[in-house]
């Protein structure tokens, strides 16, 4: 076989050069050519490996090495030595290689035996120890470069020579130099590619510049080196990055038109353009970003259309890379020929009504949107049912209606929902004007009460009209999970942008942006006391404010570890129990954010959320969901979360970590089927979704000398994400129906919307014991007009396989669950027997009456298909969510009740403060503007041994449309001072003065403050009196048993005894103003009544208790007369009567 001539240098000095004909192979039975023996003036450099043997071979060339390590190689190396990364000398590999100390080392894959590629080589150079003056010989001129021996489309080496012309003095430097070259262009017909620089390659798909070399560096997300990243051009692989993330590509033209694609698993592909340059070497530095899973930005919107009209549904999905395919489904059936992100339906027919959703897919996965409902109305059909639905309101205590034997009156209401209004012909994703079913006509009715007529507005007809414009808000406090310490002045981020801050007491308020589908907020503590916490907060899509208490995990104190040693960190927070998780960090695994290897000591803080401690459930980040392969939102069950924070000891700079091992003690996994499905997950703080980092494998390890234990072991990198989870997907799912009420009467008309109901899934021990061991999931939902359905894990075969705790919260106040002891009453719980016994309902005080009554536990027993008594709630199979959401009130459900406190509200124009869309446009509306709710309170001090009921009667004062007409009544009972036995105070709401709904002119409400019983006004705040005198007209105050004023238009404050607050939600406005009134300040808040602070009025009432019943006594003693009330046991009535008649000892308020 003929061999082409090559000049091979392996450890060759400039003084000893050997020419060998043919390829040199390590298996030749000849001595190593010209091995150089080092003397005292020279030394070897460190080993270099700047290329990976991907693409055409391995190139360890001197110019590339100098680029990366400029100061480590001398100008003219004396010799070169090569070995593989397995420490095998190049001459022993049996591979054809080339080397020259002035050029470098190269190995071509095409020159190796069939099926064999070059090894991964490292090289080092022999360099002078230091500069010194040498007398050197004189070289001749270099010869011309030899012809390139490479064939068409191949790479070869060109050589040139020179000779030492001195006889007695040694010449310093190489006699021969080589450079890579490309073979001639392969003949190809019909090639129309025109090159601005270089020439067309053999495949006619790119331009080649033989003299140019492209050097590059690729880093992964977080700055870690990206080993194995593929560098492609026009879809063809050129090379792979080496273990340092470096690559080298000869022949790339720097013409500004060459685009390279860089691809790395788990990262978004990146296209980069080789910049224009006249230099022979170009350099690219690339930072990749983590591939972003697809997530829904906006769902299609529900619409109502008439037959023959058109409708458009749109879904917006984001991700990196973005989706490249869309599919639309109608009633879960794939629609053919619909592959765009927008679905347009024209000439609508009745059979096209139903649910529509889209599924987007791409390289980073798939995701489904929530379904939108299309309602199709006949051409002549009424868009809304004109007949109102029944709606009972509670009347004042002195307005008992004998005709109905009740304190309730049916004022009617219109069901909420979209309708077909006056739309233009344009096809839009979102209608310019939203139309809803609402009040079309109201009539005034006069109700006869004790000594007066009470006006009320009754809905008589419903119709289609413009929806009431509303805004949604979330507010609350961010506090420590362990002791309630507030996170002061922390930052709140949404989609990576800071949108708000917490206050000194940890309070926050965030307005939900329009079209938000999933509100994901990240709370970041500037003081570094708490772990960054990402929460998915439910909000009321109809508008209004929802209160959330954000529980934060306190950061673990850092421990100092050495980056050059193997470090193992134990995680587990439950005292007396084994460590649950271990994290093992190999030596030299820490990196700076710019990708440099970090050396030195590291302050490592790893905070573990231990699911064996149920008190940590509320501090869990996100809502433990992920997107499955088909695009569905699926639940996870956690075995622990941990947050990591690595920082350099000296300058506190944040650090990343490379390959980190995670060990989960398999003995802590009580459900054996979870062992095979356990995975590592990281949280995407922008979407609030968990994304898979890797799987875990079972492996036995020894701990100590004798003990052998089984662990689930996985690998991970700690980069830009710092919160991780050990989870398993769980497919045994159900929904649990819950309702919240204003009182213990549990009437349909007294349901409360906007209550945050939470469910904690508990883990069973081995064998599905009914004694739960740890929590596995935490979910929260918001109650609507028909309650709420909470997701939960369940099992059909064993009722006690899964258990759950449930609790409810409204505005920071915990609601009370129905008791389970001493006697369980199914009619009160809301679930009939025998299903209730199967569910094993237990309130938290079941065994210990000292425990709070604000939660209950159940076995989440999936309803049996053959058990008729289980088919009507409260537990529904996962596929029956719609049935759960639309369940009638008569269907089984669990209940919470809110202790409203001793107060009563009556509005002439009915309005549900939980549902801003129930606002009605009327001059007598208590709240004149639906987006601007102004709450007003006056503080009244009572000198009496008894707590007194005080009423505000609010009528039109100065507006010609409302003068003398009733806006509403407010009753509230005074709260006794904790330190003064004969003093109490009340914060009484009144209707604020201001513009009415038409925004034409103001009305100063005529407010009467009337204490119940024998009372005498003995003091009026001097500043308030001066204000009223100076702002005419002045109301007449001849009756010393009461106080009358025209409501001030200004926000006066505590110095006047008047407290106001304007918010976008009525409940929030009242809560803030009431808190200030209790505190007696203009900027503080309190739940304890301070009777001597910020008072407007003082009354002295008689020593004897009044004989006339208060509103609360009347309401409670007349339960037997209420036709629609729920029956109770005699003991329950007695307790309620006792509570109503016994003087209150507490100074705390109920909200």
């Amino acid at each position: 076989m003929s061999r082409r001539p090559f000049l091979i240098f392996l450890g060759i000095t400039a003084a000893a050069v050997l020419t060998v004909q043919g390829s040199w192979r390590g298996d030749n039975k000849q001595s190593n050519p010209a091995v150089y023996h080092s003397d005292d003036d020279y030394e070897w450099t460190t080993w270099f490996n700047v290329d990976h043997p991907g693409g055409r071979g391995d190139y360890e060339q001197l110019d590339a090495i100098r680029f990366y390590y400029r100061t480590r190689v001398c100008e003219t190396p004396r010799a070169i030595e090569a070995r593989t990364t397995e420490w095998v000398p190049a001459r022993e590999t049996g591979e054809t290689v080339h080397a020259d100390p002035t050029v470098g080392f190269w190995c071509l894959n095409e020159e190796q035996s069939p099926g064999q590629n070059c090894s991964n080589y490292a090289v080092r150079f022999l360099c002078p120890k230091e500069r010194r003056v040498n007398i050197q010989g004189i070289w001749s001129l270099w010869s011309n470069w030899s012809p390139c021996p490479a064939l068409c489309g191949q790479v070869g080496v060109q050589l040139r020579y020179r000779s030492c012309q001195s006889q007695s003095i040694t010449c310093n430097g190489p006699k021969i130099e080589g450079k890579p070259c490309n073979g001639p262009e392969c003949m190809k017909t019909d090639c129309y590619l025109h090159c601005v620089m270089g020439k067309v390659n053999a495949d006619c798909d790119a331009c080649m510049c033989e003299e140019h070399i492209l050097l590059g560096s690729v880093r992964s997300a977080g700055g870690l080196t990206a080993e194995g990243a593929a560098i492609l051009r026009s879809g063809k692989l050129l090379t792979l990055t080496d273990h340092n993330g470096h690559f080298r590509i000869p022949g790339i033209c720097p013409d500004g038109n060459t685009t390279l694609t860089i691809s790395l698993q788990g990262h978004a592909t990146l296209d980069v353009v080789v910049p224009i340059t006249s230099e022979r070497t170009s350099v690219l530095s690339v930072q990749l970003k983590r591939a972003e899973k697809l997530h829904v930005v906006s769902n299609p919107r529900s619409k109502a259309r008439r037959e023959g009209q058109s409708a458009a549904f749109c879904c917006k999905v984001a991700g990196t890379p973005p989706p490249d395919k869309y599919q639309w489904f109608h009633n879960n059936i794939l629609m053919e020929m619909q592959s765009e992100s927008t679905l347009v339906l024209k000439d609508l027919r009745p059979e096209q009504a139903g649910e529509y959703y889209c599924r987007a897919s791409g390289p980073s996965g798939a995701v489904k949107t929530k379904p939108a409902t299309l309602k199709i109305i006949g051409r002549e059909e009424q868009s809304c049912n004109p007949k109102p639905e029944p709606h009972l309101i509670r009347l004042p205590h002195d307005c008992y209606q004998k005709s109905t034997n009740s304190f309730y009156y049916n004022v009617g209401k219109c069901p909420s929902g979209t309708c077909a209004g006056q739309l233009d012909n344009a096809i839009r994703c979102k209608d310019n004007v939203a139309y809803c079913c609402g009040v079309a006509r109201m009539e005034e009715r006069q109700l006869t009460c004790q000594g007066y007529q009470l006006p009320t507005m009754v809905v008589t007809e419903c119709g289609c009209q413009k929806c009431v414009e509303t805004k949604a808000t979330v507010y609350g406090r961010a506090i420590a999970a362990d002791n309630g310490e507030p996170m002061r002045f922390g930052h709140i981020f949404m989609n990576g942008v800071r949108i708000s801050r917490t206050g000194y007491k940890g309070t926050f308020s965030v307005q939900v942006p329009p079209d938000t589908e999933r509100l994901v907020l990240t709370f970041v503590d500037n003081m570094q006391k708490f772990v960054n916490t990402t929460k998915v907060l439910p909000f009321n899509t109809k508008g209004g404010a929802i209160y959330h208490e954000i529980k934060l995990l306190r950061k673990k104190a850092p421990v100092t570890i050495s980056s050059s040693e193997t470090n193992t960190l134990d995680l587990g927070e439950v005292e007396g129990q084994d460590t649950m998780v271990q994290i093992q960090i190999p030596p030299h695994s820490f990196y700076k954010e710019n990708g440099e290897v970090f050396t030195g000591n590291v302050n490592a803080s790893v905070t573990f959320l231990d699911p064996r401690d149920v008190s940590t459930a509320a501090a869990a980040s996100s809502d433990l969901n992920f997107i499955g392969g088909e695009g569905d939102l699926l639940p996870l069950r956690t075995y622990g979360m941990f947050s990591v924070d690595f920082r350099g000891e000296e300058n506190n700079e944040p650090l990343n970590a490379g390959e980190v091992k995670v060990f989960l003690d398999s003995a802590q996994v009580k459900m054996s089927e979870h062992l095979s499905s356990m995975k590592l997950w990281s949280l995407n703080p922008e979407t609030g979704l968990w994304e898979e980092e890797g799987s875990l494998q079972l492996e036995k390890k020894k701990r100590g000398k004798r003990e052998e234990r089984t662990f689930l072991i996985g690998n991970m990198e700690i980069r830009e994400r710092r919160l991780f989870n050990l989870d398993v997907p769980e497919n045994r799912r159900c929904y649990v129906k819950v309702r919240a009420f204003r009182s213990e009467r549990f009437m349909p008309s007294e349901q409360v919307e906007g209550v945050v109901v939470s469910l904690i899934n508990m883990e069973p021990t081995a064998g599905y014991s009914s004694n739960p061991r740890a929590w596995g999931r935490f979910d929260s939902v918001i109650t609507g007009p028909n309650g709420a359905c909470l997701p939960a894990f369940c099992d059909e075969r064993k009722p006690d396989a899964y258990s759950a705790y449930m609790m409810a919260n409204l505005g920071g106040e915990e609601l009370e669950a129905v008791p389970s002891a001493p006697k369980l009453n199914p009619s009160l719980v809301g679930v009939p027997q025998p299903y209730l016994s199967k569910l094993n309902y237990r309130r938290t005080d079941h065994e210990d009456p000292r425990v709070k009554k604000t939660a209950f536990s159940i076995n989440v027993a999936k309803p049996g298909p053959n058990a008729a008594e289980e088919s009507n709630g409260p537990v529904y199979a996962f596929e029956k969510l719609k049935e759960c959401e639309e369940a009638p009130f008569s269907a089984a459900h669990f209940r919470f009740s809110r202790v409203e406190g001793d107060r009563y509200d009556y509005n002439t124009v009915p309005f549900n403060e939980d549902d801003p869309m129930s606002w009605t446009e009327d001059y007598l509306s208590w709240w004149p503007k639906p987006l601007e709710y102004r709450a007003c309170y006056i503080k009244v001090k009572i000198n009496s041994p008894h707590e007194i009921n005080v009423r505000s009667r609010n009528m039109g004062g100065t507006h010609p449309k409302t003068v003398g007409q009733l806006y509403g009544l407010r009753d509230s009972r005074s709260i006794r001072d904790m330190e003064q036995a004969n003093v109490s105070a009340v914060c009484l709401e009144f209707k604020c003065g201001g513009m009415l709904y038409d925004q034409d002119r103001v009305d100063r409400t005529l407010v009467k403050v009337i204490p119940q019983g024998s009372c005498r006004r003995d003091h009026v705040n001097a500043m308030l009196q001066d204000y009223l005198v100076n702002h005419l007209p002045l109301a007449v105050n001849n009756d010393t048993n009461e106080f009358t004023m025209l409501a001030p238009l200004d926000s006066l404050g505590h110095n006047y005894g008047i407290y106001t607050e304007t918010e976008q939600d009525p409940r929030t406005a009242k809560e803030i103003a009431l808190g200030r009134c209790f505190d007696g300040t203009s900027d503080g808040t309190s739940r304890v009544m301070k009777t001597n602070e910020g008072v407007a009025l003082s009354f002295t009432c008689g020593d004897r208790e009044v004989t006339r019943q208060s509103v609360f006594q009347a309401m409670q003693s007349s339960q037997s007369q209420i036709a629609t009330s729920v029956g109770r046991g005699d003991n329950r009535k007695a307790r309620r009567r006792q509570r109503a008649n016994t003087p209150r000892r507490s100074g705390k308020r109920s909200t």
Side-chain angles (χ1 to χ4, degrees), residues 174-213:
K175 282 187 176 181
I176 187 170
E177 284 186 347
K179 68 175 181 178
C181 63
N182 296 312
E185 180 181 349
C186 297
M187 296 297 296
K188 185 174 181 179
T189 59
D190 300 331
C191 181
Y192 301 104
L193 180 63
H194 174 70
C195 292
V196 178
M197 186 183 295
K199 59 183 180 180
V200 179
N201 67 357
D203 295 328
C204 190
D205 60 1
C207 296
M208 302 293 293
C209 296
E210 297 179 358
E211 303 294 326
H212 184 262
I213 297 175

Side-chain angles (χ1 to χ4, degrees), residues 976-983:
R976 191 181 304 280
D977 192 293
M978 298 288 287
E979 299 178 355
Q980 302 180 63
N982 294 325
V983 176

Side-chain angles (χ1 to χ4, degrees), residues 834-863:
Y835 197 17
L836 183 59
S837 295
K838 184 177 180 180
L839 296 174
N840 193 31
Y841 177 89
R842 293 287 186 271
R843 195 167 73 173
T844 41
D845 67 339
H846 183 79
E847 296 179 351
D848 185 354
R850 295 172 297 178
V851 177
K852 289 199 302 183
K853 307 172 183 179
T854 54
F856 65 85
S857 66
I858 59 169
N859 292 333
V860 192
K862 186 176 181 180

Side-chain angles (χ1 to χ4, degrees), residues 871-919:
S871 62
N872 199 29
V875 181
Y876 294 82
F878 181 75
E879 61 273 11
K880 294 186 177 181
L881 172 60
K882 190 172 183 180
E883 183 178 326
C884 177
E885 292 176 335
E886 298 176 354
F889 187 81
S890 58
H893 57 269
F894 292 109
R895 294 168 173 172
F896 287 95
S897 62
R898 183 187 188 211
V899 180
E900 285 280 315
D902 293 338
R903 72 180 191 216
Y904 167 75
D905 297 352
Y906 173 80
N907 297 324
T908 300
V909 179
F911 173 66
N912 181 3
E913 292 180 355
D914 299 329
D915 180 11
M917 295 188 71
S918 67
W919 180 83

Side-chain angles (χ1 to χ4, degrees), residues 560-593:
T560 302
I561 59 178
S562 172
S563 64
S564 60
E565 300 175 358
T566 298
N567 295 281
T568 301
L569 303 175
D570 292 337
L571 307 181
E573 302 299 313
V574 179
E575 187 176 352
Q577 296 199 36
D578 291 333
T579 295
M580 192 166 185
V581 178
Q582 289 181 336
I583 297 178
Q584 189 180 90
I585 308 169
H588 310 297
S589 295
F590 291 102
Y591 291 80
K592 299 179 182 179
E593 289 188 332

Side-chain angles (χ1 to χ4, degrees), residues 433-625:
V433 179
Y435 287 90
C436 299
C437 292
V439 176
R441 190 174 57 172
M442 301 181 76
E443 292 181 359
E444 181 178 313
R445 306 276 173 86
Q446 293 289 334
L447 304 180
T448 300
C449 304
Q450 294 180 12
Y452 66 96
Q453 293 292 111
L454 181 69
T456 186
M457 302 298 290
V458 177
V459 179
T460 57
E461 184 180 348
C462 300
C464 188
Q465 54 189 303
K466 293 181 180 179
C467 298
V468 176
E469 186 180 357
T470 62
K471 291 185 179 180
T473 304
V474 293
Y475 72 106
R477 294 180 69 215
I479 59 175
D482 53 3
N483 63 2
E485 178 187 354
M487 182 179 78
R488 295 188 171 101
F489 310 117
H491 295 312
I492 303 176
F493 288 84
M494 180 178 179
N495 295 325
V497 178
R498 192 182 74 182
I499 60 169
S500 186
R501 297 183 69 176
T502 62
Y504 179 78
K505 296 184 178 181
T507 55
F508 68 92
S509 179
V510 174
Q511 183 174 312
V512 182
D515 303 328
T516 298
E517 304 289 347
R518 182 177 166 89
L519 182 63
V520 182
L521 301 180
T522 299
F523 294 79
V524 178
D525 180 24
N526 287 333
M527 307 300 293
Q528 296 292 315
K529 290 183 179 180
F530 306 112
V531 172
N532 293 354
T533 302
T534 298
K535 289 288 187 179
V536 181
L537 299 183
F539 62 95
N540 194 341
T541 56
K542 295 189 297 184
I546 300 296
Y547 180 91
H548 291 281
E549 199 160 75
I550 308 301
K551 298 293 183 67
L552 307 171
L553 279 181
R554 193 177 298 277
K555 266 189 177 180
K556 280 292 182 183
V559 295
T560 302
I561 59 178
S562 172
S563 64
S564 60
E565 300 175 358
T566 298
N567 295 281
T568 301
L569 303 175
D570 292 337
L571 307 181
E573 302 299 313
V574 179
E575 187 176 352
Q577 296 199 36
D578 291 333
T579 295
M580 192 166 185
V581 178
Q582 289 181 336
I583 297 178
Q584 189 180 90
I585 308 169
H588 310 297
S589 295
F590 291 102
Y591 291 80
K592 299 179 182 179
E593 289 188 332
N594 62 5
E596 295 181 12
V597 176
F598 176 83
T599 57
N601 288 336
V602 177
N603 287 333
S605 172
V606 182
T607 306
F608 185 62
L609 188 145
D610 197 326
R612 297 173 296 184
D613 180 1
V614 71
S615 67
T616 63
S621 274
S622 181
D623 54 0
L624 284 173
N625 287 321

